[in-house]
Each structure stands twice: as C-alpha cells, then as structure tokens.
C-alpha cells in the first residue's frame, strides 16, 4: 500500500481501468456477481444485438430496470478517490467499462466510456444520431428516435465492436509516454484489450496495480495486487485519502 501511494504521489502519467466492481459499493449489481442476474436472464444473453433483434422490448425492460436502479445510486469513495487522483496527476486517463456514468458524477473528467453509456440512446436507422435521455421509467418502451425509428441503448453489446475513436484516444495516451502507474480496479479483466493495456504497463517500466477482492487474469502480471474493496482501498492510496 505504501509503495503504491508513493508511486502515485510522484506519478506524472497514470492510466486507470475500471469495471463493475468500482460501482458495486454504490449498489450497482456487477455483471458476474450473483445479483447481476435479472429475472434469471444472463447479461451475456441480453446484452447482444441478436437478443435486441429477437425481442427489443425485453432488452429494453432490462435496461429500463437498470436505469431505474442506477438513478438512485450515488458515486462511492472509489469513484471519489479516482476523481481526486486526477486532480493531482499531470497526465491522467480513466478508462471505464461501466455504463453507469458514476465516474463523471463523482467529478472525473478525462473518462473514456469504453462500453458506452446506459443514459444515451441511439437511432437504429441512423446510428450517428445519439442523444442523452435520463427519464426513468422510459415511456414509451421501447423508446423511439424523433425520426420514428426504434431507439437502442448506446452501449457496446457482446459481439459488437468498440468505438474506434475511443480506441485511438487510449492508444494515443499510451504512446504519448509510458504510464508511471496503471491501476486496474473492479474488473474481472475478461477482455483482451483490458489485459493488453494492463500488460503494457509492465513492458514500459510502469507499476501495474490491481484492486479487487478476487484474483483475475491481471493478478498474474500485476506488480502489486491489493485484495479488497475499491471503496476501502482506493481512498487510502490517494494522498488526501
Ligand atoms: C465481445 C456494455 C464476446 C453493455 C458490456 C467476439 C468475441 C471477441 C471479440 C469480438 C467479438 N465480436 C467483436 C469483437 C471485437 C471486439 C472489439 O471491439 N475489439 C476491439 C479491440 C477492436 N469486441 C469485443 O471485445 C466485445 N466483446 O463481444 O466478447 C464475449 C462474449 C462472452 C464472453 C466473452 C467474450 C466487447 C463487448 C462489450 C460488452 N458490453 N457492457 C451493458 O453494460 O449493458 S460488457 C460488461 O462486462 C460490462 O461493461 C462490464 O463492465 C464488462 C466487464 O465486466 P466487469 O466490469 O469486469 O464486471 P464483472 O461483473 O465481470 O466483474 C466485477 C469485478 O469486480 C469482479 O472481478 C469482482 O471480483 C470485482 N468486485 C466486486 N466487488 C468489488 C470488486 N472490485 C472492487 N471493489 C468491489 N467492491
């Protein structure tokens, strides 16, 4: 813990990668936790273009249920600690897989929502048309674009591609200089791109730090693995914490 705190205090360039685990203490169900299931559906089966094609209303009921739940959730000390870290780090980037918007709500500014946002909708006829809608519950359900076409959640589903623009921003951050620290918190690190960015830190002289109560693929390559809850550990890592 002290080694990490010192490294972060002296760091000029830090990349943070977060997943559902950093929102867990805000009351947001994780994807693969037991409470992640909804009406006995597996998110992997619902968060797909095929499920939406088959039954848009069912998929929207799931998203509407999550939006209603999220509307009551506040950022927790994990989100707040990361917003504080950004204030004291000259070059900082927060890459999140979460779609809940809680990092921005906590004051984080340089945030890349890798998997999109549950608060944004996209037209299924003109995909470049995207807008924010925070109404809960949505009415009508499924919602429509003003052009009359069906709207979809502006998130990246399983089997879909990440927005290349986000990918380029992240690659640009890493090639602009070797991060002194890459902090991976609250993610099962399922996706290759998450593992690759974590691995990058170990190849360019940076410190790879993981915060998670459970081991993940990143644990094998991390310099420091802090086993525990992000809401408890992260505030202790940040100088003011
Ligand atoms: C994909 C948005 C298929 C939706 C989500 C087919 C296969 C592979 C690749 C491709 C493919 N088709 C197309 C591609 C290309 C590729 C791509 O774009 N590549 C780039 C590089 C060009 N596309 C993809 O990779 C897509 N992936 O299709 O994979 C697949 C299918 C099944 C299984 C494996 C692979 C991208 C898909 C993105 C899917 N969208 N979300 C929505 O939210 O509705 S994914 C979903 O999982 C969430 O975003 C979530 O964040 C993410 C990862 O999960 P985690 O965040 O890690 O959450 P999880 O519940 O898993 O873990 C929680 C962790 O927290 C645990 O470790 C736990 O221990 C810990 N924890 C719990 N409590 C705490 C805690 N930690 C700290 N503190 C606590 N208190």
């Amino acid at each position: 813990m002290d080694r990490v705190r010192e490294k972060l205090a002296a760091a000029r360039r830090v990349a943070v990668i977060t997943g559902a685990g950093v929102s867990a203490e805000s009351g947001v169900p994780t994807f693969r936790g037991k409470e992640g299931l909804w009406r006995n559906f597996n998110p992997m089966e619902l968060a797909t273009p095929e499920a939406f094609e088959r039954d848009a209303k069912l998929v929207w009921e799931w998203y509407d249920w999550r939006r209603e739940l999220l509307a009551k959730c506040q950022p927790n000390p994990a989100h707040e600690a990361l917003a504080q870290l950004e204030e004291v780090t000259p070059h900082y980037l927060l890459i999140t897989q979460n779609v809940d918007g809680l990092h921005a709500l906590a004051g984080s500014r340089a945030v890349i929502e890798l998997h999109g946002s549950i608060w944004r909708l996209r037209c299924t006829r003109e995909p470049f048309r995207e807008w924010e809608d925070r109404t809960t519950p949505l009415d009508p359900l499924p919602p429509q674009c003003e052009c009359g076409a069906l709207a979809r959640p502006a998130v990246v589903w399983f089997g879909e591609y990440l927005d290349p623009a986000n990918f380029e921003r992240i690659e640009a951050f890493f090639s602009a200089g070797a991060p002194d620290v890459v902090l991976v918190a609250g993610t099962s690190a399922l996706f290759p791109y998450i593992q690759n960015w974590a691995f990058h830190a170990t190849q360019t002289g940076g410190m790879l730090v993981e915060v998670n109560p459970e081991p993940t693929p990143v644990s094998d390559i991390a310099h420091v693995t802090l086993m525990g809850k992000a809401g408890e550990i992260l505030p202790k890592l940040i100088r003011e914490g």
Side-chain angles (χ1 to χ4, degrees):
M1 194 84 96
D2 293 342
R3 256 178 64 204
V4 177
R5 191 185 297 115
E6 278 151 34
K7 189 82 177 168
L8 281 175
R12 297 194 50 72
R13 182 175 284 270
V14 172
V16 181
I17 301 172
T18 65
V22 298
S23 292
E25 289 153 271
S26 296
V28 182
T30 62
F31 259 67
R32 293 165 187 82
K34 62 186 181 319
E35 75 292 346
L37 296 185
W38 173 77
R39 284 199 211 149
N40 302 323
F41 277 98
N42 179 334
M44 313 278 223
E45 286 152 18
L46 275 176
T48 67
E50 294 75 23
F52 190 71
E53 191 66 37
R54 204 171 39 242
D55 189 343
K57 190 162 184 339
L58 175 73
V59 172
W60 263 117
E61 282 171 357
W62 178 48
Y63 279 91
D64 200 39
W65 174 78
R66 289 169 68 192
R67 287 162 53 103
E68 283 214 77
L69 191 74
L70 279 170
K72 304 180 187 93
C73 296
Q74 287 303 318
N76 70 62
H79 298 108
E80 284 152 10
L82 292 175
Q84 275 172 21
L85 179 60
E86 178 172 13
E87 292 307 308
V88 297
T89 308
H91 304 283
Y92 182 90
L93 184 63
L94 172 55
I95 302 158
T96 187
Q97 299 167 90
N98 300 340
V99 298
D100 56 35
L102 289 177
H103 282 301
L105 210 53
S108 285
R109 293 191 311 279
V111 181
I112 292 188
E113 293 183 313
L114 208 49
H115 293 162
S117 167
I118 202 165
W119 301 115
R120 294 179 64 76
L121 280 64
R122 184 186 305 145
C123 179
T124 53
R125 185 184 301 152
E126 297 165 330
F128 52 86
R129 282 177 77 157
E130 209 177 275
W131 62 96
E132 176 157 313
D133 179 342
R134 287 189 175 252
T135 354
T136 54
L138 280 164
D139 181 22
L141 196 72
Q144 290 184 328
C145 172
E146 56 194 20
C147 78
L150 176 66
R152 60 162 281 176
V155 299
V156 180
W157 278 327
F158 290 103
E160 293 192 317
Y161 283 84
L162 303 181
D163 177 350
N166 283 336
F167 226 70
E168 278 146 30
R169 273 180 70 193
I170 295 166
E171 299 297 315
F173 180 83
F174 278 114
S175 48
D180 301 296
V181 179
V182 173
L183 180 60
V184 181
T187 178
S188 53
L190 183 83
F191 300 120
Y193 42 87
I194 299 295
Q195 295 167 19
N196 291 345
W197 289 323
F199 181 68
H200 180 88
T202 62
Q203 302 306 297
T204 54
M207 178 189 272
L208 177 57
V209 179
E210 180 178 40
V211 176
N212 195 317
E214 322 244 323
T216 75
V218 166
S219 313
D220 305 334
I221 58 171
H223 296 110
V224 180
T225 294
L226 302 170
M227 300 286 272
K229 294 186 171 186
E232 290 163 13
I233 291 177
L234 291 179
K236 294 189 183 115
L237 293 181
I238 316 301
R239 219 174 12 224
E240 289 80 357

